[in-house]
Amino acid sequence: MISSAKRLVAKKWFNEYFTKGNLEILDELTTEDFVYHSRNGENSKEKMKEFMKWYRSVFQEDTWEMNDLIEQEQKLAVRYTGEMTYKGGWFDIPSENQRVKETGMMIFYFKGDKVSELWCENSDAAILFELGALRKNTHKVF
C-alpha cells in the first residue's frame, strides 16, 4: 500500500511541475537541501527550475501517467509514461509538431513529507529517434 502523502507528492510532481510548469511547486515538495541526480551529475532545485523553463518552450500539450508506484521505507519509485508535442528548440531538430512519447522511472527519497533526493532515468534517446535525429536501423540487438 502506497502512503497517501507520498502518492500526493508524486501526483503534484507530474501534474503541477511537468504538466503546468509550476516552478514554485518544487519549493513546496522538496527540502532545502534537495538534490537531483541525473546522467549530468548532481543538480539543485534551481537547475531543475531552469530545465523546466527550457522544457516548456520545447515540449507542450503534455500528459503524464504514473504507471507503477512502489514504496519502500523513505523511497517511492514511479514508472511513468508521458506524451507531448515537440515545438522545436532541441539541438537542431526541426519541428513538425510531432507527438512523442517518453517513458522513465523516478525514485523519490523522502525526509518526512518532502523529497530530499530524486533519481531519474528516462528515454531521451527514444524521443530523439521519434523526432528523426537518430537514423533508423543503425543498432544491433544484443
Side-chain angles (χ1 to χ4, degrees):
M1 184 77 156
I2 307 300
S3 72
S4 59
K6 287 183 178 123
R7 182 185 297 272
L8 181 60
V9 167
K11 195 172 187 176
K12 284 183 178 182
W13 200 278
F14 284 94
N15 292 340
E16 292 293 323
Y17 178 64
F18 279 128
T19 304
K20 296 178 184 176
N22 177 357
L23 303 181
E24 288 74 35
I25 198 72
L26 288 182
D27 296 324
E28 175 187 324
L29 300 178
T30 61
T31 61
E32 287 297 316
D33 60 347
F34 169 80
V35 176
Y36 169 61
H37 303 274
S38 71
R39 65 187 167 280
N40 299 323
E42 291 185 359
N43 292 289
S44 66
K45 191 182 314 188
E46 292 309 311
K47 287 284 186 190
M48 287 196 69
K49 289 178 181 182
E50 288 175 24
F51 164 78
M52 185 51 65
K53 289 176 186 176
W54 170 83
Y55 176 86
R56 299 293 334 142
S57 70
V58 173
F59 296 102
Q60 298 172 9
E61 303 161 3
D62 47 327
T63 59
W64 299 93
E65 180 180 349
M66 295 188 298
N67 306 113
D68 291 301
L69 289 89
I70 301 170
E71 182 178 1
Q72 180 183 34
E73 298 171 4
Q74 82 280 11
K75 294 181 259 183
L76 178 66
V78 179
R79 184 180 65 83
Y80 66 88
T81 303
E83 292 189 10
M84 62 284 305
T85 302
Y86 176 64
K87 296 293 188 177
W90 196 16
F91 301 110
D92 293 326
I93 305 168
S95 170
E96 298 175 7
N97 290 317
Q98 303 99 310
R99 287 296 282 174
V100 294
K101 177 178 168 181
E102 176 182 321
T103 59
M105 290 192 278
M106 292 184 172
I107 302 174
F108 297 88
Y109 283 73
F110 285 82
K111 280 187 187 170
D113 288 340
K114 292 192 173 201
V115 178
S116 61
E117 291 182 62
L118 175 65
W119 292 79
C120 182
E121 295 291 332
N122 60 20
S123 58
D124 284 352
I127 294 171
L128 290 169
F129 185 79
E130 287 183 59
L131 293 174
L134 301 177
R135 292 188 331 197
K136 292 182 180 182
N137 302 317
T138 58
H139 62 281
K140 296 180 181 178
V141 177
F142 297 101

